[in-house]
Amino acid sequence: MSGLQALLDLQQSDGGWAYSTNSSWTEPTCYALLALRCADGPRQAICLTSICRAAEWLARRQRRDGGWSPGQAVEQSTHVTSLAILALSALDGYEDIAERGVGWLLAQAGAETSFWARVARFAMGTQTSATGHTGWPWFPGAAAWVTPTSLAILALLKQQRGRYAPAIDARVKDARSFLLSRRCPDQGWNHGGLFRAGETPSSYPETTGIALLALAGTDNSEIQASIECGEKHALAPRSSEGDSWLRLGLSVHGRAPALSPGKYREWTVNQMALGMIVQSGKEGRSCFVDASV
Amino acid sequence: MHRCNRREMIAGSFVALTACSRKPRPEHWVSVIRARDYSVDLVGIVREILAEHKVAVRGKRVLLKPNLVEFSPGAPINTNPVFVAAAYQAFQAAGAAEVWIAEGPGHRRITMELAEAAGLFSAIHDFEKCFVDLNLDEVLLRRIAQPSSNLSGLYLPCTALACDLLVSLPKMKTHHWVGATLAMKNLFGLIPGGVYGWPKNILHWAGIDESIADLHQLFPRQFSIVDGIEAMQGNGPILGVSKHAGVVVAGSHPPSVDATCCQIMGIDPARIKYLDLVSRKTGWRLRDVRQVGELTRSVHTPFDLPPGFERLRLA
């Protein structure tokens, strides 16, 4: 209960959450809302008011284009739109808002997949399998990366029954191919940059975890080495964020590393909320991935 | 009374015109100091630098911006924590009203864990109380006047915008995209990941060299102190290998500091594109740089360059 109460206490008067101090930002608000929604029956009763206030905060912060900006001072919809869709997913009264977010998300793609970028790579002979699939950028106008692509996949999979269903299927399939093509030599994931022959960049626990989560339901034989890499990272994830994403990512592939609550300090609301989501067990997993997957 | 003839008058006018149009070139002083390793009196060295450059510190809010990139047991990727701690103590001793350490790592968002692994918690007492994660800071939009890149503006962290003096504390490294990463490139860490992501890829698409030049323009009150004691050569800034250069390089004009570092590293600063951009924009010239302390040639130690960058080698 103490973790839950701490999270409730950190909710700001406007209904959102800050990363740690200062004003409300979209990302911590989404993670906090997801964590509150994961709380089990008796505990969820005390969260209801906070959930409503957080959802209203997100609804107010949706931009005209359907996306969300990271913070109040930022006049641009970005990758946090995926998190807002996830946080509002299946919440009564917010279906249209989430669907407008999906519309914005589907219109985004990594800049490297633009027509001119493809022409330039073709001309220079640098086209590879790692540049042939479409993912999502952190910020419009930039290339696609592992984390925003993974979050977009998770958000879209939660919205498969809406009017965008056919487009979602195609984008998710291609985005998963993007993830598979951006693996490091150890078969895990780092931030997702391309690397030259001979370079051996190492994967990160947190990005390996989130990518495994986004690959829920895919054929395990294709990602067996990635799962094993995730299990290795789970022995020393270096941060609560890495620990949480790995647990979520491995759990959807039938692996469950032992919990180690309190091992890592939680510096931000994101980390605190993710830790709570993990500890809520199956419900935590369902924050991101439907049981049917 | 001597009367000027026409020829004398024309000659006299030419001399007068030339004299009037020849403003003295600005001189940008750069200190080059030998430091064998991190056990030397680095606090003393930084204090000496601040005195030598007459840096106005008393009563000011100072922001130290080290280079914190990756978990790197043994690899010289990050600014050495002892070096950061020395700068922190020296600015405090020089009478700064506040000294903050701030960074926004570009690849990993687990900043505090990176800082801990880099040794900053053990090197600096109550580190978390004086540290700001710039990736998660409040931001304001700053327009870029006549940008070199295609960016019209950037969201920047309020902590960096509000300081009186921004002190870049980079690690001296080669870089596989721009040749060298020094005082100016270190400012990429000011870009908030909370807005632009990890990595801050918008800068890459806007042109890395061009973005370096634009960021320099957005922060006019700077001082730079480069950790060139254990540096990185080869495929930097992450996959390179250690290079003992044994120097600290400092000054109040970042392009001059970077140009000096390049010369020490065996890189021709005239071939570094971002320095060329600054030169075109501000009129700064390499010949405006003046050295204090060691002569560049006495500490010159050629670095292995990243693959494909041999063209930058100083002749």
Side-chain angles (χ1 to χ4, degrees), chain A residues 57-58 74 76 128 131 179 188 192 207 284:
Chain A
W57 185 91
L58 278 177
V74 183
Q76 172 68 55
T128 70
T131 55
L179 289 180
T207 36

Side-chain angles (χ1 to χ4, degrees), chain B residues 28-30 53 55 220 222-224 250-255 257:
Chain B
H28 298 295
W29 290 89
V30 177
H53 290 262
V55 183
Q222 285 187 53
F223 196 77
S224 310
S252 57
H253 187 252
V257 171

Side-chain angles (χ1 to χ4, degrees), chain B residues 80-91:
Chain B
N80 190 287
V82 175
F83 192 88
V84 180
Y88 183 71
Q89 286 174 43
F91 276 93

Side-chain angles (χ1 to χ4, degrees), chain B residues 174-190:
Chain B
T174 48
H175 192 284
H176 59 184
W177 285 332
V178 293
T181 172
L182 300 158
M184 292 176 69
K185 169 72 174 60
N186 186 36
L187 298 200
F188 269 29
L190 299 179

Side-chain angles (χ1 to χ4, degrees), chain A residues 226-279:
Chain A
S226 302
I227 293 169
E228 285 166 12
C229 178
E231 286 182 313
K232 275 185 202 157
H233 278 309
L235 300 172
R238 289 184 178 274
S239 69
S240 70
E241 201 160 326
D243 189 51
S244 297
W245 283 121
L246 280 169
R247 287 177 196 289
L248 289 165
L250 288 168
S251 75
V252 296
H253 297 283
R255 310 296 173 97
L259 279 169
S260 54
K263 188 173 176 188
Y264 297 100
R265 184 165 167 185
E266 290 162 347
W267 293 96
T268 64
V269 164
N270 292 15
Q271 293 179 334
M272 183 191 289
L274 274 170
M276 287 174 57
I277 290 168
V278 169
Q279 287 186 45

Side-chain angles (χ1 to χ4, degrees), chain A residues 23 27 75 143 199 206, chain B residues 71 108-109 138 155 201 235:
Chain A
S23 65
E27 195 184 41
E75 293 292 328
E199 290 181 348
E206 58 275 18
Chain B
F71 294 97
R108 309 287 291 266
R109 55 180 307 161
E138 297 295 307
Y155 291 99
N201 183 238
N235 196 11

